Amino acid sequence: MKAELIDLITRVIQVLQINIRWMTWNLFLAFIPLFLSVWLFRRIKKSRSWVWWLGFAVFFAFLPNAPYLLTDVIHLIDDIRAIQSVWMITLVLIPVYFMVILAGFEAYVISLINMGYYLHRIGKSQWILGMELITHALSAIGIYWGRFLRFNSWDFVTQPDAVITQGIEEILGKQPLVIIAISFVILTALHWLMKRVTLGFTRQGYKGIGINSPQTYVKPQTLD
């Protein structure tokens, strides 16, 4: 019994050691657009120089890396087969995956919240929904490129010809379009939910410490 427990703990540690490498790297990529969104959309200056537009392009190139973590759940299946312990899977493996995937998707949600804040600030509030839907569509394509074609964000610079030719050719097939459409629906639904949770939690947090919540781009309701 003791030998079996030691063997189980050893397998769990080995799995976590392997996972922490790709999880750390994927989270790093997921947080790049979040940091860029703060610089692009939260600063006071309204001028948009070529540097701003370059940052905006990099922001969209890296943004799919945040929701891409949703697809890393496929690694969970292999890890479950490797560990084969209900308690270890429930108490260790699933919580680790949940926190990593949630952190990545939350980076995606906050990035879009910051973009919506910027649009509201420059008087383009009516564009927010449309930009969110466009972003979901582009991210769904980016997820497909990353998961199935193994493209990276920097391939737009290192091999743009392959991204344009192979990437476009691949997504025109029936199966890729179905996968992209399903990804779009999932992103739209999860973003809708997490956006409200995030904004609601933020407002509650400010109320809890006894100060007024900062203005967001959501237009407040008024009483007649």
Side-chain angles (χ1 to χ4, degrees):
M1 185 68 180
K2 184 177 180 180
E4 292 179 357
L5 180 60
I6 293 174
D7 179 65
L8 175 60
I9 294 175
T10 301
R11 277 186 281 130
V12 171
I13 293 174
Q14 289 175 344
V15 167
L16 291 178
Q17 285 177 336
I18 295 173
N19 286 343
I20 197 170
R21 298 171 189 169
W22 65 260
M23 285 180 175
T24 302
W25 175 246
N26 285 358
L27 279 176
F28 170 74
L29 295 177
F31 276 84
I32 289 177
L34 175 59
F35 294 138
L36 283 173
S37 74
V38 175
W39 176 71
L40 289 168
F41 306 131
R42 285 283 175 173
R43 61 182 190 156
I44 303 300
K45 293 179 65 176
K46 293 185 178 181
S47 60
R48 294 189 291 271
S49 64
W50 68 269
V51 177
W52 188 94
W53 285 109
L54 177 61
F56 185 73
V58 174
F59 166 78
F60 264 98
F62 277 86
L63 188 59
N65 289 294
Y68 177 87
L69 280 156
L70 291 170
T71 67
D72 285 330
V73 73
I74 64 173
H75 298 299
L76 177 61
I77 300 173
D78 295 331
D79 292 343
I80 289 174
R81 291 171 180 168
I83 294 177
Q84 294 183 346
S85 169
V86 175
W87 288 109
M88 285 295 183
I89 292 170
T90 304
L91 299 178
V92 178
L93 203 58
I94 291 179
V96 169
Y97 269 86
F98 177 78
M99 293 303 297
V100 171
I101 293 174
L102 179 63
F105 198 79
E106 185 64 15
Y108 180 73
V109 171
I110 296 176
S111 296
L112 292 190
I113 288 176
N114 287 339
M115 183 174 67
Y117 168 83
Y118 177 79
L119 291 172
H120 173 74
R121 197 180 66 192
I122 64 174
K124 302 294 183 181
S125 298
Q126 68 276 14
W127 289 9
I128 293 174
L129 178 59
M131 284 298 295
E132 287 177 346
L133 294 176
I134 291 173
T135 302
H136 298 330
L138 293 176
S139 294
I141 295 173
I143 290 172
Y144 180 84
W145 281 352
R147 176 54 66 189
F148 293 96
L149 304 185
R150 309 310 297 171
F151 283 130
N152 296 304
S153 298
W154 47 87
D155 287 334
F156 284 105
V157 177
T158 59
Q159 47 177 342
D161 53 338
V163 173
I164 294 175
T165 56
Q166 184 182 355
I168 294 179
E169 286 177 2
E170 286 289 336
I171 64 175
L172 295 180
K174 183 177 180 180
Q175 182 177 355
L177 286 176
V178 171
I179 295 173
I180 291 171
I182 293 174
S183 300
F184 172 79
V185 172
I186 292 174
L187 290 180
T188 302
L190 287 180
H191 172 263
W192 180 87
L193 175 63
M194 290 302 298
K195 176 181 176 181
R196 276 144 188 80
V197 171
T198 301
L199 292 175
F201 182 78
T202 302
R203 295 193 190 101
Q204 282 298 120
Y206 277 97
K207 290 178 182 178
I209 60 177
I211 62 177
N212 293 327
S213 171
Q215 292 293 324
T216 64
Y217 64 82
V218 179
K219 184 177 180 180
Q221 295 181 347
T222 56
L223 297 176
D224 294 331

